[in-house]
Amino acid sequence: MLKFSKYTNRKMSGLETLNLRLNYHGGNQEGRLIKDKQRSLNKALLYSYQAETAVLADGREFRCLINPDKLKNDYDDKIISIPFRDICLNSDRKGKTIDGLEDIGMKAGDVFKWKETDTYWLVYLQRLEENAYFRAEIRKCRYDVKIGDDKYKVYLCGPAETAIIWHTKKNMKGSGVTWNDLNYDLTMFITKDELTEDYFHRFTKVKVSGKSYEVQAVDAISIEGIIEVALKEDYTNSIKDTIDNIEKPEEKPIDKNFPYIVGPTIVYPYDEVHFSVENTNGGIWEVNNNKAYIMSQTDSAVELMIKTGRSGEFDLIYKKENEEDVILHITINSL
């Protein structure tokens, strides 16, 4: 029996109708299997007990399946199944269902939030044999590590030590001192990106749960999208931590309608530095302590020599009679 195609005005043969149906269902045998698995997943996302919501790093939300895998005291592994393309749950509706499909883009190394449990998970092993949708191993992240101004959710394991190694050193009188070495170690999985690749090297210091650790080894090769970091317990400098955590006062923006000093606010020991003043002239230059001295000056510029070999700070002052002093606070960083 002949049928009319809705795409053309000509009649379709039974063979053409069959071919159209096959293409709709995926084409060849492998394509049809993939299409069937996609439809099965879409149904499961609606009705399965394992159907959950994944919140990506960019804030988009998508339905997914999260199935149990391995649960140990050291780690919690599960398996995520999520379409390559789907409708974003928290975006505006776009016409028909097919118009709202968008690429999800999940990949190894991504961290997402499991919305229903308010937990974070690291995607670390993709099942490449799965062609119908994205399927991968995920591992629970319970800790944060701060790198610069960015905070990363990470997986941590350890320490494995069960004993302390003690050392004793005696003097000729028989008395002496006894001490033990820091021996805790951790293994960390963290997302691999430009920042983490640049930051993690041997002997880099990092804070984990308020404790200091030193990087012993970095493996950015074995697991796609992830850096595996071996950490060893390190000494904590509470005085330095206190100083680092003190909030520094905000620098007031320069009003360029009034006199101001142009030059670096951070210098280093024994630097020779040039400064100048804008919107005024006819004054003289001073420094408020002996950490720097004036090599030469004019009524609008000055050359300074940093005298100290240590960190510190001083004020560069431009004075003019009957006018308010112009002051630039300068910090000396150690080499």
Side-chain angles (χ1 to χ4, degrees):
M1 183 172 124
L2 297 179
K3 297 182 179 180
F4 285 95
S5 168
K6 65 178 180 178
Y7 304 105
T8 66
N9 292 324
R10 69 181 183 84
K11 294 180 179 179
M12 295 179 62
S13 67
L15 186 60
E16 289 174 320
T17 302
L18 180 60
N19 187 54
L20 187 64
R21 289 177 178 174
L22 283 174
N23 288 333
Y24 174 78
H25 286 280
N28 60 23
Q29 184 174 3
E30 182 181 3
R32 295 197 302 274
L33 289 172
I34 292 173
K35 200 77 172 181
D36 287 342
K37 291 198 73 174
Q38 289 175 347
R39 281 195 290 268
S40 297
L41 176 65
N42 290 335
K43 289 294 183 182
L45 295 180
L46 295 175
Y47 305 115
S48 173
Y49 185 73
Q50 280 78 36
E52 307 292 346
T53 306
V55 183
L56 307 187
D58 58 10
R60 294 182 300 155
E61 298 181 8
F62 295 94
R63 296 293 285 172
C64 64
L65 293 185
I66 297 181
N67 290 291
D69 186 18
K70 298 174 183 177
L71 179 60
K72 304 292 182 182
N73 60 333
D74 287 337
Y75 59 86
D76 184 356
D77 283 355
K78 300 193 185 299
I79 300 174
I80 187 171
S81 301
I82 191 168
F84 291 120
R85 303 184 77 242
D86 202 0
I87 296 172
C88 180
L89 301 177
N90 58 342
S91 66
D92 296 333
R93 183 180 177 86
K94 303 174 183 177
K96 297 180 180 179
T97 300
I98 195 170
D99 297 326
L101 296 178
E102 57 184 88
D103 292 331
I104 295 176
M106 183 174 284
K107 62 186 183 302
D110 287 354
V111 174
F112 70 92
K113 180 181 177 181
W114 180 353
K115 187 175 181 178
E116 285 76 9
T117 61
D118 195 28
T119 54
Y120 290 86
W121 297 77
L122 176 66
V123 181
Y124 79 105
L125 289 175
Q126 182 182 356
R127 301 288 182 91
L128 294 175
E129 74 278 3
E130 183 56 78
N131 297 318
Y133 46 83
F134 182 86
R135 182 178 172 87
E137 301 279 340
I138 57 176
R139 182 162 286 188
K140 188 176 181 181
C141 299
R142 297 193 295 119
Y143 296 93
D144 297 328
V145 168
K146 193 172 183 181
I147 303 176
D149 294 328
D150 296 324
K151 188 177 288 187
Y152 286 78
K153 294 287 184 181
V154 300
Y155 160 75
L156 281 170
C157 176
E161 285 73 23
T162 58
I164 298 175
I165 300 174
W166 290 92
H167 304 275
T168 302
K169 186 174 182 178
K170 294 184 178 181
N171 55 28
M172 296 181 64
K173 295 181 179 180
S175 60
V177 293
T178 302
W179 75 96
N180 65 278
D181 294 329
L182 299 177
N183 65 336
Y184 279 3
D185 57 46
L186 299 177
T187 299
M188 178 174 70
F189 287 0
I190 189 170
T191 301
K192 180 180 177 180
D193 58 24
E194 290 185 5
L195 181 58
T196 54
E197 277 195 290
D198 183 63
Y199 183 81
F200 285 104
H201 300 282
R202 187 173 292 177
F203 308 127
T204 299
K205 309 290 184 181
V206 64
K207 284 276 189 181
V208 178
S209 294
K211 296 181 179 179
S212 297
Y213 287 85
E214 182 184 76
V215 175
Q216 303 297 297
V218 178
D219 180 1
I221 299 172
S222 299
I223 308 176
E224 184 181 357
I226 288 174
I227 299 177
E228 184 176 353
V229 185
L231 300 170
K232 183 180 179 182
E233 186 182 15
D234 194 34
Y235 295 97
T236 299
N237 187 336
S238 58
I239 298 175
K240 181 179 180 300
D241 292 343
T242 301
I243 294 173
D244 291 341
N245 290 329
I246 294 175
E247 291 189 6
K248 297 178 181 178
E250 286 188 23
E251 293 186 6
K252 296 181 179 179
I254 296 174
D255 187 344
K256 295 189 176 182
N257 295 317
F258 295 91
Y260 64 95
I261 297 174
V262 178
T265 58
I266 297 176
V267 297
Y268 294 89
Y270 311 115
D271 274 354
E272 294 182 10
V273 198
H274 175 82
F275 296 89
S276 62
V277 67
E278 298 290 331
N279 298 331
T280 188
N281 55 40
I284 59 172
W285 298 88
E286 293 181 2
V287 291
N288 70 332
N289 60 38
N290 61 356
K291 296 186 183 297
Y293 74 91
I294 296 173
M295 299 171 61
S296 64
Q297 66 172 299
T298 67
D299 65 347
S300 61
V302 65
E303 296 287 337
L304 292 186
M305 173 71 177
I306 308 303
K307 292 172 58 178
T308 181
R310 299 182 178 182
S311 60
E313 54 188 31
F314 65 92
D315 289 336
L316 176 61
I317 306 167
Y318 185 81
K319 291 178 173 287
K320 186 176 179 182
E321 191 174 352
N322 299 324
E323 289 187 10
E324 187 176 347
D325 291 350
V326 184
I327 301 173
L328 181 66
H329 186 74
I330 301 169
T331 300
I332 306 170
N333 279 356
S334 58
L335 293 172

